[in-house]
Amino acid sequence: MLKAFYHLLVRDLRLAMRNRHELINPLIFFVLVVSLFPLAITPTPDALQAMAPGVIWVSALLAVLLSLDRIFKLDYEDGSLDQLMLSPNPLMILVLAKVFAHWLLTGLPLVIIAPLLGMFMSLPAEAITVLIYSLLLGTPVLSLVGAIGVSLTVAVNRGGVLLSLIILPLYIPILIFGANAVDVAMHGSSVKGQLLFLGAMLALSLSLAPLATAVALRITAAR
Amino acid sequence: MWNWIQRFSSPKHFYSMSVPLIKWLSISALLIGLYGLYLGLFVAPTDYQQGESYRIIFIHVPAAWMSLFVYMVMAISSGIGIIWQIRLADMVAAASAPIGASFAFLALVTGSLWGKPMWGAYWVWDARLTSELILLFLYLGYMALQSAIDDQRSADKASGLLAIVGVVNIPIIHYSVEWWNTLHQGATVTKFDTPSMHIDMLIPLLLMALAFKLFYATIVLMRTRNEALYRDRNRRWVRELVEKL
Amino acid sequence: MNWSEFFNMGGYAFYVWSSYALALVIILANIVSPLMQRKKVIKRIKRTLKREQLEREQL
């Protein structure tokens, strides 16, 4: 079982490495969207600071949303998704491997580049640290919950807007607590509660989302 | 037992069974609703803080309760449909969505009409209004997914799963929105909270809520009948029935 | 209480009555929509039945 998990993970990572430009697209998107805000509103540090947590978190969320397709789309198109479902290993484990690969390829790079954006938005150092923690805990949840949505819409033509319609409402709690953690850290208060909530969401979605995704994949494959 | 459930939940059986149900449900919804309206508009005293404007509560709160209730019904019957493969449950879920969405919309608009005299603005990011808005989004997502998939069976299953995921998320969303709201709007006391309500206001409110639920039951039966006809259009019972009409 | 006072709703007439009017509209729409839906479904099934009958007669 662990072996299957490992093999699928390595396979997905390798496949992604073959077209690297697709890998950095969400990253570029993330940086681009965040830099639009100073241009659209005002470049004064005070104003930037006030909106930075929200802007960075919303942009990260949209970047993940845009890349969600990657979890299952190709596998669905070339038929390897059906193969996965025939495998004797529990589908949940395989789903978990695919989601983990997705997070390593999009969520983690977003976390790594976030300090740069924090500097763009003139966030103080302690807020940047919390930004990293909150993204580290929050982006896996985005991938896990997003996987449910992708597995439901992967067979729908032009399912992109549909996917955001069904997934964005479910992202709201993560957005609220993630952005608030950064905001609170900026004002020097304790962010333990917010990070604990994000951690709890991670634990919850880690245990439930793969199950829902597995059911959703079987529904999609049954047509 | 199992056979009995199977037989009882067959669309054909449901179709004939539902006729008297619809009749009695609609009559009781109408009577209770009219009595509730009478009590709410004529008997209930004027609120000493909000004046007459509080009478919107008799629409707003039942609509909000109902939109949440209908989502629960949708999720539960979707679960029954997915686990036990009972087609009738899928039909009930699909038939519920537009009703629930329309009442979520009603709750939002009446909330904003109530907010204008109370807060001085049509829209304030109050915790309840925000949660209701997100609930409306959940409904719209469900309906969009349902209509995007051509194959009826997998459309039911897919949107049903989404409803279940949504129901798991509703308490989390509600809690986080409430928490977010206390942080940012400590100054605005939520006006929709009426902790100690006059009994003459509470009774019409509960009557209206009951009438709304009975109304939902009536309409969902009517819609489910249509779904049954449409989905079974190639089966004998529908053909024989339609020929007689 | 007289009627004009009642309709005035203590100055909140617009807010109260638009709420009740919208409720009425939504309730009516919820009643009309399944009735129309039913008509449409039955019409469609009837059309199919008729077409099949014609095909049978042609054979």
Side-chain angles (χ1 to χ4, degrees):
Chain A
M1 215 162 81
L2 265 177
K3 222 168 153 186
F5 178 88
Y6 176 75
H7 278 305
L8 191 56
L9 181 66
V10 171
R11 167 187 170 273
D12 269 24
L13 294 180
R14 231 181 241 149
L15 275 179
M17 282 306 157
R18 276 192 206 144
N19 42 24
R20 289 200 189 91
H21 63 273
E22 228 185 277
L23 256 179
I24 47 173
N25 281 351
L27 266 183
I28 300 174
F29 175 86
F30 184 43
V31 178
L32 188 63
V33 170
V34 171
S35 22
L36 289 180
F37 283 87
L39 296 170
I41 304 170
T42 162
T44 51
D46 281 353
L48 283 184
Q49 251 184 33
M51 63 184 184
V55 165
I56 296 177
W57 254 98
V58 169
S59 312
L61 198 139
L62 293 178
V64 171
L65 189 69
L66 282 182
S67 68
L68 277 178
D69 245 6
R70 253 202 329 230
I71 306 181
F72 294 121
K73 192 81 179 176
L74 282 176
D75 292 331
Y76 174 75
E77 279 164 359
D78 68 10
S80 43
L81 200 58
D82 293 319
Q83 301 268 310
L84 277 188
M85 268 179 271
L86 292 175
S87 121
N89 298 293
L91 188 53
M92 272 172 70
I93 299 296
L94 305 176
V95 164
L96 211 53
K98 292 200 70 73
V99 174
F100 188 47
H102 175 260
W103 180 75
L104 285 178
L105 294 165
T106 48
L108 193 59
L110 293 183
V111 178
I112 293 169
I113 208 163
L116 174 73
L117 294 173
M119 274 157 22
F120 271 18
M121 305 294 281
S122 40
L123 277 180
E126 53 280 25
I128 291 183
T129 322
V130 172
L131 176 67
I132 295 173
Y133 287 145
S134 67
L135 283 172
L136 214 48
L137 287 168
T139 46
V141 184
L142 301 183
S143 296
L144 282 162
V145 175
I148 306 174
V150 185
S151 50
L152 288 175
T153 55
V154 72
V156 177
N157 285 333
R158 291 188 296 275
V161 185
L162 182 65
L163 178 64
S164 16
L165 203 61
I166 65 178
I167 283 303
L168 280 178
L170 305 178
Y171 279 177
I172 288 170
I174 297 296
L175 178 69
I176 290 177
F177 279 88
N180 184 261
V182 184
D183 193 52
V184 167
M186 212 157 57
H187 299 105
S189 311
S190 161
V191 292
K192 209 168 147 200
Q194 285 84 336
L195 293 183
L196 278 177
F197 179 87
L198 288 176
M201 288 297 293
L202 179 56
L204 186 72
S205 53
L206 208 53
S207 48
L208 290 183
L211 180 70
T213 310
V215 175
L217 283 177
R218 298 226 185 269
I219 292 169
T220 300
R223 330 183 179 183
Chain B
M1 175 72 182
W2 184 243
N3 278 337
W4 185 80
I5 292 176
Q6 288 276 337
R7 205 167 53 96
F8 196 72
S9 68
S10 84
K12 180 187 174 190
H13 191 78
F14 165 80
Y15 191 87
S16 54
M17 278 288 294
S18 54
V19 178
L21 268 176
I22 288 179
K23 191 176 140 201
W24 291 111
L25 283 169
S26 58
I27 290 174
S28 44
L30 184 71
L31 292 180
I32 295 175
L34 286 177
Y35 186 54
L37 270 184
Y38 167 73
L39 288 184
L41 289 176
F42 297 99
V43 178
T46 308
D47 188 77
Y48 72 98
Q49 263 182 329
Q50 308 186 25
E52 305 287 354
S53 75
Y54 91 94
R55 290 187 201 275
I56 297 176
I57 203 176
F58 301 122
I59 300 293
H60 171 78
V61 170
W65 282 348
M66 185 168 132
S67 60
L68 200 60
F69 173 78
V70 172
Y71 202 92
M72 301 287 176
V73 173
M74 247 166 64
I76 291 169
S77 53
S78 298
I80 294 172
I82 290 176
I83 296 168
W84 289 293
Q85 309 283 340
I86 293 176
R87 287 167 59 234
L88 190 63
D90 286 337
M91 296 180 196
V92 169
S96 295
I99 313 173
S102 67
F103 278 84
F105 176 75
L106 177 62
L108 272 179
V109 177
T110 52
S112 115
L113 281 168
W114 195 4
K116 177 70 178 166
M118 292 303 110
W119 296 317
Y122 279 113
W123 185 262
V124 171
W125 289 93
D126 164 76
R128 300 246 184 128
L129 283 181
T130 312
S131 292
E132 192 68 41
L133 181 66
I134 298 170
L135 183 63
L136 180 62
F137 287 149
L138 288 177
Y139 272 116
L140 296 179
Y142 175 94
M143 283 154 74
L145 186 61
Q146 170 82 248
S147 63
I149 302 174
D150 299 322
D151 177 53
Q152 188 72 64
R153 259 188 114 74
S154 50
D156 283 337
K157 302 281 180 265
S159 49
L161 186 74
L162 182 67
I164 294 167
V165 173
V167 130
V168 173
N169 266 275
I170 281 179
I172 302 172
I173 293 174
H174 186 78
Y175 166 72
S176 36
V177 167
E178 206 123 90
W179 179 82
W180 158 83
N181 191 254
T182 52
L183 267 179
H184 292 275
Q185 294 203 317
T188 348
V189 189
T190 176
K191 289 287 194 305
F192 300 121
D193 256 337
T194 27
S196 57
M197 218 181 177
H198 196 287
I199 190 76
D200 284 343
M201 299 176 180
L202 190 62
I203 287 173
L205 180 64
L206 294 178
L207 281 178
M208 287 303 279
L210 179 63
F212 271 44
K213 299 238 163 66
L214 289 169
F215 177 73
Y216 160 68
T218 311
I219 302 299
V220 83
L221 287 180
M222 286 166 74
R223 294 194 90 100
T224 308
R225 277 161 66 86
N226 295 340
E227 295 281 341
L229 278 186
Y230 182 70
R231 292 178 191 200
D232 277 3
R233 60 189 178 277
N234 290 324
R235 299 200 182 190
R236 222 173 69 200
W237 74 269
V238 172
R239 294 168 161 249
E240 284 169 357
L241 195 129
V242 169
E243 266 167 4
K244 270 183 257 160
L245 287 173
Chain C
M1 178 166 66
N2 66 31
W3 282 102
S4 73
E5 212 174 276
F6 173 72
F7 283 115
N8 187 34
M9 273 289 150
Y12 294 116
F14 171 73
Y15 306 108
V16 174
W17 295 123
S18 3
S19 293
Y20 279 82
L22 183 75
L24 187 69
V25 167
I26 282 183
I27 285 171
L28 287 181
N30 265 308
I31 295 171
V32 170
S33 143
L35 293 176
M36 304 272 284
Q37 198 187 24
R38 181 182 158 82
K39 247 183 210 157
K40 226 167 76 186
V41 170
I42 288 176
K43 206 167 158 188
R44 189 181 151 153
I45 298 172
K46 275 203 169 145
R47 212 184 307 134
T48 335
L49 288 177
K50 202 172 272 171
R51 200 178 52 228
E52 282 175 4
Q53 203 174 8
L54 281 178
E55 277 166 11
R56 242 178 283 131
E57 279 164 13
Q58 277 172 356
L59 280 177

